[in-house]
Amino acid sequence: MNRHLVTLEDVTQADVEALFDLAASLKAKQRQGIAHPLLQGKTLAMVFEKPSLRTRVTFEAGMTQLGGHAIYLAPADIRLGQRETVQDAARNLEQWVDGIVARTFSHQMVERLALYSQIPVINGLSDSHHPVQILCDLFTLWEKRGSLAGRRVTFLGDGNNVCHSWLQGAAALGLSFTLACPPAYEPDPTILGRAQERAKASGARLEVTHDPRAAVREADVLYTDVWTSMGQEEDHAQRLRDFQGFQLDRALVEQARPDVLVMHCLPAHRGEEITDEVMDGPRSIIFDQAENRLHMQKALLVRLLGPGVRVVS
Ligand code: CP
Ligand code: NVA
């Protein structure tokens, strides 16, 4: 596995499966109250340009549970690239801490942090990718269904950050992934094209359609995300109009397989991309997903910050 986790483009099936095993063991220890201070004395800097509940709390709580410490740096604290250059910020942070989680608007900002840092950089969401989310979601699916290859995931919504990481994760693990989105909300063609190249080797099937009803048929998993992502608030009214017909409601769930699982990365805008009935209904594993943010990210932290990691500079 690479030193950084900026996207899922280069993550291998073996990397992900090793993380599943580690996450499962850390989860069992946590539930049984068995101490697991694998990152004692380690410190994580958390540089966030956007708000967060899950990513912030799970990385912070995860570091505490692993015997380490996390420092949250809010948007006004360091103002990456404004108060000083990204390179200078990275060259400071690496003197004091053992890893960085960054949540940024521009994806280039995370890439540059990784380029200039001798310590691991984890992307905690950028405008273009959300790799930790999809690692945690894959872990949740693995817990629920075992083998993942060939599972059919249908994503209803915007072809942006969460969808991009799904395309890369599905390509790595050989899943079948269909995005149903309105015209003009398709994924970045370069990210889609590269994932499709990788899919040839893994057996994944990656598709984009504008027909939500056709897309949900035979799905094992129905996944959705907000129609208006952080930073797009001014487009809210337009997006509400554009995404009509893409709401994950009971009628769509009933078109899928009877044992379909409903997933959402959260936060949810209830009544927009998903109804209360589906979110709180019997097919939903949404809050299991949220729980697993903690366990899978702890595994990632141990893998990237823990002892025995060979740092290649
Ligand atoms: N899913 C997710 O990343 O949630 P937050 O934005 O609350 O961190
Ligand atoms: N697409 C959403 C994901 C939030 C976790 C956003 O970027 O706001």
Side-chain angles (χ1 to χ4, degrees):
M1 190 161 175
N2 288 343
R3 175 156 48 110
H4 306 295
L5 184 80
V6 174
T7 71
L8 295 182
E9 183 160 23
D10 300 322
V11 171
T12 66
Q13 184 163 354
D15 291 335
V16 177
E17 287 175 354
L19 286 170
F20 288 166
D21 290 337
L22 183 53
S25 113
L26 293 171
K27 182 171 180 176
K29 285 195 170 71
Q30 178 70 17
R31 288 197 162 170
Q32 292 161 29
I34 301 170
H36 44 285
L38 300 171
L39 294 183
Q40 201 151 27
K42 301 277 183 181
T43 305
L44 180 72
M46 302 182 43
V47 178
F48 277 43
E49 293 182 339
K50 299 184 186 187
S52 170
L53 172 67
R54 281 147 290 274
T55 308
R56 176 182 174 180
V57 174
T58 50
F59 272 114
E60 283 200 34
M63 282 303 288
T64 304
Q65 291 168 16
L66 290 164
H69 180 67
I71 302 171
Y72 175 70
L73 295 151
D77 287 332
I78 71 172
R79 289 184 289 127
L80 270 179
Q82 295 175 49
R83 192 160 173 265
E84 59 193 311
T85 66
V86 180
Q87 187 167 7
D88 287 348
R91 288 182 63 190
N92 278 265
L93 286 169
E94 71 191 16
Q95 315 288 332
W96 313 314
V97 303
D98 303 284
I100 299 171
V101 174
R103 169 166 286 201
T104 63
F105 286 93
S106 149
H107 183 67
Q108 275 193 340
M109 189 66 89
V110 192
E111 287 181 330
R112 288 170 62 207
L113 262 180
L115 180 69
Y116 298 132
S117 294
Q118 298 298 310
I119 54 173
V121 172
I122 297 171
N123 179 357
L125 180 144
S126 65
D127 282 347
S128 310
H129 296 272
H130 198 2
V132 292
Q133 176 72 52
I134 277 47
L135 283 180
C136 298
D137 296 339
L138 290 166
F139 174 60
T140 305
L141 269 182
W142 175 79
E143 276 190 324
K144 301 279 177 198
R145 292 287 186 256
S147 159
L148 295 183
R151 299 272 175 206
R152 295 175 185 215
V153 178
T154 293
F155 185 110
L156 295 144
D158 194 353
N160 69 346
N161 46 14
V162 174
C163 173
H164 288 155
S165 291
W166 257 115
L167 284 166
Q168 295 181 339
L173 270 68
L175 276 79
S176 170
F177 179 85
T178 301
L179 167 69
C181 66
Y185 293 93
E186 294 90 356
D188 178 306
T190 306
I191 295 172
L192 176 63
R194 285 199 200 154
Q196 279 170 330
E197 269 306 305
R198 193 166 188 202
K200 288 181 191 161
S202 69
R205 288 185 51 214
L206 309 176
E207 287 171 9
V208 178
T209 171
H210 300 310
D211 181 349
R213 297 207 157 266
V216 301
R217 265 180 236 130
E218 297 303 314
D220 296 303
V221 176
L222 297 180
Y223 196 107
T224 191
D225 179 17
V226 291
W227 294 338
T228 304
S229 287
M230 290 179 276
Q232 300 173 333
E233 290 76 9
E234 282 185 5
D235 304 337
H236 183 62
Q238 180 65 47
R239 285 167 172 269
L240 282 183
R241 288 192 290 278
D242 292 345
F243 279 92
Q244 283 314 301
F246 289 84
Q247 183 187 61
L248 190 48
D249 59 10
R250 177 153 49 133
L252 272 189
V253 173
E254 285 176 352
Q255 301 281 317
R257 292 170 55 96
D259 61 350
V260 70
L261 298 172
V262 169
M263 302 181 80
H264 191 312
C265 54
L266 300 177
H269 294 170
R270 287 170 176 259
E272 293 186 17
E273 75 277 1
I274 191 165
T275 59
D276 285 333
E277 184 184 28
V278 170
M279 181 142 167
D280 302 321
R283 306 310 321 151
S284 168
I285 57 165
I286 290 170
F287 293 99
D288 299 317
Q289 274 179 269
E291 182 197 350
N292 280 336
R293 294 294 304 275
L294 176 69
H295 307 297
M296 188 60 164
Q297 288 166 196
K298 280 168 71 178
L300 185 66
L301 288 168
V302 170
R303 182 71 193 79
L304 296 184
L305 274 61
V309 176
R310 190 169 56 92
V311 174
V312 183
S313 53

